[in-house]
Amino acid sequence: MRPVEVCDYMYTTLPPSLRGDSHHIDLRSDTVTKPSTGMRRAMAKADVGDDVYGEDPTVRALEERVAAMAGKEAGLFVPSGTQSNLVAIMTHCNRGDEVILGDDYHAFVFETGGAAAIGGVVPNPVPTDQNGGLSPDDALKAIKPNHTWFAQAKLLALENTVSGQVQTLESMNALCELARQNKLLTHLDGARIWNAMLATNQPLDTLAASFDSISTCLSKGLGAPVGSVLCGSVDFIARAERIRKVLGGGMRQAGVLAACGLFALDNNLPLLLHDHDNARRLADGLSDIDDLVVHAGDTNMMFLEPLEADRQKLVQYLADNGIRVGGPEVRIRVVTHLDVSATDIEKTIDVVHAYYKLRPNQRGRGI
Ligand SMILES: *Cc1c(COP(=O)(O)O)cnc(C)c1O
């Protein structure tokens, strides 16, 4: 008889350094993780009901758990971070209102213009600085005077982490205070807020305190296959539930998915620190290469900037050696996650070094 319980237990509790897939290393994103055996077991055991009738106890448990962690009254389980942000924006804003947000932020760049296309909400982007922050001056300038000619700003939407960079509590609080003074509501896109939480050793409710709503993803570093939880006041969540329904996000026996989120909070949350260690080790291991600029972050994400001539070739060389990274763009995105081990990181360091050792002899012959 296969000692299933022992295998599963080991798989879910071993540090990532002792797990991982030795022949394929996928550093493109922390969304590429596959549900572990333990997580699949939790799905199989989940108690479920029809959540559109409000009858799924596992969904309810997840919503209550994340809301309590975030220090908010209520939570709403939604299929994706994209839908979570859209639901939040559409709940806070009416058609023709403006949402002020960073010009690099996910909700502006990577969500297919949903706020405008579906919600009729006008995005008003302000410059995102090198560290992913917004300047209070820029945010203030974006708020138009109360005049019949102008769309009125209703919401300030911030993000943490931004491309893996932790936003300080002080800067977030200052921007939220400015929003409040100008009668704006505030939303935090906290897809990777869990990384910020672990990196700063601050509880979620502290990081979320100044916001009217917060969206968190379970399918990034936490390793669940699907799902986000949007949190806010009871009134906000009641209105958000209607928007989720109109967007097609009402799910039936979704407890099998919510169970993954609960499992992830119990088992995978502390493991984010391994991802941060792995990212730091990788950045350190590549820092001695002259022709490669390493933009290290505070958490599980970094960007590599090779010379233009190397861009395509480096990404191809890595791929030929079983390592997938983002790009090839000016900056190649590299993300650590649950399914990347410390051994994978050492291999990646070796392969990048091998590319740069090989390169002078091979120049012009196209490796
Ligand atoms: C991934 C991500 C989202 C969207 O989440 P999906 O589940 O992929 O739709 C939103 N915001 C940020 C900052 C993200 O990284």
Side-chain angles (χ1 to χ4, degrees):
M1 193 183 77
R2 200 171 79 90
V4 173
E5 296 292 343
V6 175
C7 284
D8 293 352
Y9 174 78
M10 283 180 66
Y11 188 79
T12 55
T13 55
L14 281 177
S17 56
L18 299 176
R19 289 190 266 123
D21 179 340
S22 58
H23 42 264
H24 182 74
I25 302 170
D26 197 339
L27 296 164
R28 288 172 302 163
S29 176
D30 47 9
T31 57
V32 300
T33 56
K34 294 182 182 160
S36 62
T37 312
M39 187 175 274
R40 288 166 192 257
R41 186 171 291 273
M43 295 176 84
K45 282 199 290 212
D47 194 3
V48 298
D50 187 334
D51 186 51
V52 176
Y53 284 93
E55 289 173 4
D56 191 302
T58 310
V59 170
R60 193 53 58 82
L62 175 68
E63 290 172 341
E64 285 173 5
R65 174 131 176 226
V66 178
M69 290 176 82
K72 303 297 180 205
E73 289 174 355
L76 188 69
F77 186 50
V78 289
S80 69
T82 299
Q83 187 173 105
S84 193
N85 283 333
L86 181 56
V87 166
I89 292 170
M90 288 177 68
T91 306
H92 287 308
C93 301
N94 291 312
R95 300 182 73 81
D97 288 339
E98 279 192 355
V99 53
I100 296 173
L101 74 183
D103 63 355
D104 277 350
Y105 287 1
H106 202 281
F108 183 61
V109 183
F110 298 113
E111 297 181 8
T112 331
I118 300 171
V121 179
V122 185
N124 185 348
V126 300
T128 313
D129 70 28
Q130 287 261 311
N131 302 315
L134 308 184
S135 102
D137 259 7
D138 289 338
L140 192 59
K141 267 189 260 161
I143 304 170
K144 299 181 175 79
N146 186 358
H147 189 287
T148 48
W149 295 350
F150 299 127
Q152 293 297 289
K154 190 77 174 292
L155 178 67
L156 176 68
L158 303 180
E159 194 176 297
N160 193 12
T161 63
V162 180
S163 297
Q165 300 181 98
V166 175
Q167 303 304 298
T168 66
L169 193 54
E170 297 69 37
S171 68
M172 299 264 104
N173 287 349
L175 284 160
C176 287
E177 183 51 34
L178 184 144
R180 239 183 318 279
Q181 284 165 4
N182 290 276
K183 301 197 167 47
L184 266 61
L185 297 164
T186 52
H187 171 69
L188 178 63
D189 177 356
R192 295 194 178 83
I193 193 69
W194 311 108
N195 296 88
M197 199 178 130
L198 271 283
T200 61
N201 201 21
Q202 282 168 317
L204 188 60
D205 56 358
T206 302
L207 299 176
S210 19
F211 293 90
D212 293 302
S213 61
I214 172 176
S215 166
T216 64
C217 281
L218 304 162
S219 57
K220 301 274 166 90
L222 288 185
V226 166
S228 281
V229 181
L230 176 64
C231 301
S233 69
V234 167
D235 170 62
F236 169 81
I237 291 298
R239 289 181 293 122
E241 195 175 340
R242 294 182 67 87
I243 307 283
R244 181 186 69 174
K245 189 71 174 77
V246 81
L247 295 176
M251 298 181 285
R252 304 293 179 177
Q253 286 71 30
V256 287
L257 300 173
C260 297
L262 288 166
F263 178 91
L265 292 172
D266 286 334
N267 298 276
N268 297 347
L269 184 55
L271 300 181
L272 293 175
L273 285 173
H274 292 291
D275 301 344
H276 299 182
D277 288 344
N278 280 340
R280 202 170 303 120
R281 167 68 192 134
L282 181 56
D284 286 349
L286 302 178
S287 62
D288 60 340
I289 300 171
D290 285 340
D291 286 344
L292 185 70
V293 181
V294 180
H295 303 274
D298 314 310
T299 57
N300 67 330
M301 198 180 289
M302 77 189 70
F303 293 83
L304 304 179
E305 193 173 341
L307 299 176
E308 196 183 341
D310 288 319
R311 211 177 283 157
Q312 206 102 37
K313 291 177 192 164
L314 175 60
V315 170
Q316 188 58 50
Y317 186 77
L318 284 164
D320 293 344
N321 284 278
I323 301 168
R324 302 180 81 176
V325 292
E329 287 163 21
V330 174
R331 292 184 175 194
I332 297 167
R333 192 172 89 147
V334 176
V335 189
T336 58
H337 53 75
L338 265 179
D339 295 349
V340 174
S341 67
T343 314
D344 294 338
I345 294 297
E346 296 309 319
K347 177 177 171 187
T348 305
I349 293 170
D350 289 347
V351 171
V352 175
H353 275 101
Y355 170 83
Y356 280 97
K357 276 200 199 91
L358 208 56
R359 190 184 53 155
N361 315 328
Q362 300 280 321
R363 218 171 226 160
R365 285 205 276 132
I367 46 173

